[in-house]
Amino acid sequence: ELKVEQNPLFLSMQEGKNYTIYCNYSTTSDRLYWYRQDPGKSLESLFVLLSNGAVKQEGRLMASLDTKARLSTLHITAAVHDLSATYFCAVDNTDKLIFGTGTRLQVFP
Amino acid sequence: GAVVSQHPSRVICKSGTSVKIECRSLDFQATTMFWYRQFPKQSLMLMATSNEGSKATYEQGVEKDKFLINHASLTLSTLTVTSAHPEDSSFYICSARTPSVETQYFGPGTRLLVL
């Protein structure tokens, strides 16, 4: 059974600081996705990582994928309050998405 | 961009009644649609996968007779929660994909409250 774990589960960080969210998964997959969810809302797609070594950046967020280590990271640079949300990684398992536990991010002044 | 809609966005019903939720792909044909449920402060759990014109594939632990899924066309899938009970209260989210695209497009979700 594929398991997807994220850490930390909860992250409170000050504006301007950097931090990394980790996503570990238990079986082979070369497709991984990152999503953002605001309270009461559905998912917003952030990144699609389709191969080992893939790195994508959008604004203050950068995601990477290491399929050999079964690890993806979401790096936050110089956090701002607008980034406060819950972030999920999801691993493709035979065309089904298995979601991670989620990381709830709060950015404070 | 690809848009997926859900209707209704919010529904309150009495225990024992059935509720139908629609998921539509508005500007593309979705060969496969997925249904997820999400409890407060938890992750998304896949309930079932539906392919147009065939029976849905349910995940382990999901009751087929309780959560009826129909994917009658390439743009519409429905989830019917039969004989709803308070424990069925949840946020239900659908997604859709086509074989040529390496991602799923998510609907805005339906919040179900069973009294």
Side-chain angles (χ1 to χ4, degrees):
Chain A
E1 179 188 347
L2 174 60
K3 291 186 178 179
V4 184
E5 295 182 343
Q6 287 179 235
N7 72 83
L9 298 181
F10 180 77
L11 176 56
S12 180
M13 58 189 296
Q14 194 171 20
E15 281 188 330
K17 298 292 187 182
N18 305 331
Y19 208 83
T20 299
I21 299 171
Y22 296 89
C23 174
N24 293 272
Y25 53 99
S26 61
T27 62
T28 303
S29 176
D30 56 3
R31 290 191 285 185
L32 189 138
Y33 307 81
W34 283 96
Y35 297 93
R36 168 182 171 143
Q37 186 177 38
D38 291 298
K41 304 291 186 182
S42 187
L43 301 182
E44 174 190 348
S45 179
L46 294 175
F47 299 108
V48 180
L49 303 169
L50 299 177
S51 62
N52 185 42
V55 177
K56 291 196 175 179
Q57 183 166 4
E58 180 72 35
R60 301 175 187 273
L61 301 178
M62 183 173 70
S64 66
L65 177 61
D66 181 344
T67 58
K68 294 180 181 177
R70 299 177 186 170
L71 171 69
S72 180
T73 61
L74 180 66
H75 186 73
I76 303 157
T77 301
V80 293
H81 179 71
D82 286 351
L83 290 179
S84 298
T86 298
Y87 293 85
F88 291 98
C89 64
V91 176
D92 189 298
N93 182 29
T94 58
D95 290 335
K96 298 188 298 186
L97 289 184
I98 307 300
F99 281 83
T101 44
T103 296
R104 187 174 160 209
L105 171 65
Q106 275 190 339
V107 181
F108 59 92
Chain B
V3 179
V4 176
S5 70
Q6 281 184 244
H7 178 79
S9 58
R10 187 181 296 263
V11 57
I12 301 173
C13 69
K14 292 182 179 179
S15 186
T17 61
S18 294
V19 175
K20 180 185 282 189
I21 303 170
E22 293 186 346
C23 176
R24 294 182 184 273
S25 55
L26 298 185
D27 50 3
F28 67 102
Q29 293 186 328
T31 51
T32 306
M33 287 185 169
F34 304 86
W35 287 95
Y36 300 84
R37 68 187 295 183
Q38 184 181 34
F39 292 110
K41 299 191 188 305
Q42 294 189 23
S43 187
L44 278 75
M45 297 297 295
L46 178 64
M47 299 175 66
T49 303
S50 74
N51 292 293
E52 186 265 338
S54 61
K55 289 184 179 180
T57 302
Y58 290 80
E59 295 299 302
Q60 192 172 8
V62 177
E63 299 175 59
K64 302 178 184 181
D65 295 332
K66 182 165 187 61
F67 298 100
L68 301 179
I69 292 172
N70 184 281
H71 193 162
S73 76
L74 285 172
T75 60
L76 173 65
S77 176
T78 59
L79 167 67
T80 301
V81 183
T82 62
S83 187
H85 289 95
E87 58 265 30
D88 298 324
S89 299
S90 187
F91 192 42
Y92 292 87
I93 305 174
C94 73
S95 71
R97 63 166 288 173
T98 63
S100 59
V101 178
E102 296 283 357
T103 191
Q104 295 181 19
Y105 300 101
F106 284 84
T110 296
R111 193 162 301 281
L112 170 64
L113 177 60
V114 184
L115 302 177

